[in-house]
Amino acid sequence: MGSSRPAIAQEVAGRSRTLLYVEHSLANLVTRSAPGGRPQPLCLNDGRLYVGCWDDKAIYAIDVASWTVAERIETPGIPYGIAFFDRAFHVVVSVNEDDDRYIYRFASGSPVREEARIPCPDLTGSHLTTDGHSLYLVQQTHRQMLELGPDGSIVRTIPFTTRCAGAAFTGGIFYMITADKEFDVLEFATLDLNREGATPQIVAAMDVDARGLATDGAAWWTCYRERNLIASFTA
C-alpha cells in the first residue's frame, strides 16, 4: 500500500472527491436502488435486509431475492446503526436537536416504542453490530467501540486508530470500514479485538460514500449513502 496507488477523482453530490485504490479490489460488486433517501445502517435477518434511511426516518425490510420492500418501520429520529441480537432488532437513533443517541429495541412487525430504549453512553454512538454474544456500539466522537451489557452498561472499551464507517462480525472475525479524518479514503479491513494496540489489516479499497456494513456469510452489504444506493460485494 505505497504511494504508487492510482488516484481516481469522483464527483459525488457536487463535491470533488479522490478515491485511492489498494492492490486488492472488491469482487462481485452489485448496486441497487435504496427504498428511501440516504440509507446508512443495515443488517440481515431471515432472508431480509433491514436498511435505515436518514431522510425517511424509517427502516425498510427488503426481501433480498426479489428486492421488494416487505415492511416499513418508522423510527423516532434518524437511524444511525442497526443489529439483530437476542431475538430482536436494536437501532441507534438520533432523537432531538441536540443529536442525543438512544438504542431502541423492537421486533419485526411492531412499532419502535419510546419506552423500549436505553441511552447510548455519553448519548453518542453510530454503527451497531453483534458477535452473537454482545452488542457493540461505535462512537465516532471518541474513536472507539464499546461492548455493551444487556442494560447498556460498558463491558469493554476498544480503541480505534482510525475512524469507522461500518462494522460487522462473521466467523468470529471483526471487520470494519476504516476512514481517515475527512472520510476521503475508506478501506475494508479486519481488526484483532483481542490484541492491544492492533491496527486494521486492509483487505480492499471502498467507495468514499460507503456507510454501514453487514454480511449474510456469503456476501457483504454496505450503503452508498449520498447516492441512495445499496451495494453487495465479496472480498
Side-chain angles (χ1 to χ4, degrees):
M1 288 182 36
S3 60
S4 61
R5 293 182 297 180
I8 297 180
Q10 290 187 331
E11 188 69 24
V12 180
R15 295 165 292 144
S16 179
R17 306 290 294 273
T18 299
L19 173 63
L20 297 180
Y21 284 92
V22 294
E23 289 78 0
H24 301 288
S25 59
L26 305 178
N28 304 309
L29 179 63
V30 178
T31 58
R32 303 168 177 87
S33 295
R38 292 200 294 167
Q40 172 166 302
L42 69 177
C43 73
L44 292 116
N45 182 62
D46 198 23
R48 291 180 176 178
L49 180 68
Y50 290 78
V51 181
C53 293
W54 285 13
D55 291 349
D56 303 57
K57 295 181 180 178
I59 296 166
Y60 295 90
I62 302 171
D63 181 88
V64 174
S66 62
W67 204 252
T68 56
V69 174
E71 185 181 2
R72 184 182 188 273
I73 305 159
E74 294 186 0
T75 56
I78 297 173
Y80 274 83
I82 188 171
F84 185 81
F85 172 68
D86 192 25
R87 303 185 302 279
F89 291 95
H90 298 74
V91 58
V92 177
V93 179
S94 171
V95 298
N96 52 36
E97 293 182 357
D98 292 329
D99 195 23
D100 294 335
R101 309 286 174 89
Y102 289 82
I103 299 175
Y104 289 79
R105 179 186 174 108
F106 68 96
S108 180
S110 300
V112 179
R113 302 183 185 279
E114 286 291 331
E115 61 269 22
R117 74 178 192 179
I118 56 174
C120 294
D122 297 330
L123 293 177
T124 184
S126 54
H127 306 290
L128 197 65
T129 188
T130 179
D131 60 358
H133 304 287
S134 300
L135 278 175
Y136 292 79
L137 174 69
V138 173
Q139 292 186 316
Q140 295 285 12
T141 302
H142 304 318
R143 198 169 290 195
Q144 64 187 17
M145 184 171 70
L146 305 178
E147 179 181 356
L148 301 178
D151 60 352
S153 60
I154 300 172
V155 175
R156 179 168 57 138
T157 300
I158 302 162
F160 286 160
T161 58
T162 69
R163 291 187 178 272
C164 176
F169 288 88
T170 185
I173 301 173
F174 176 70
Y175 289 80
M176 65 185 295
I177 301 175
T178 67
D180 64 340
K181 183 178 179 180
E182 302 299 329
F183 282 82
D184 287 328
V185 178
L186 274 62
E187 293 170 317
F188 184 54
T190 62
L191 180 65
D192 186 351
L193 302 186
N194 296 315
R195 187 163 62 87
E196 186 175 351
T199 57
Q201 302 300 300
I202 306 304
V203 177
M206 294 288 289
D207 189 282
V208 294
D209 279 332
R211 299 293 189 276
L213 188 64
T215 182
D216 56 10
W220 289 93
W221 296 82
T222 190
C223 295
Y224 293 167
R225 190 178 67 200
E226 301 306 317
R227 283 176 284 168
N228 297 331
L229 294 173
I230 300 171
S232 62
F233 64 91
T234 58

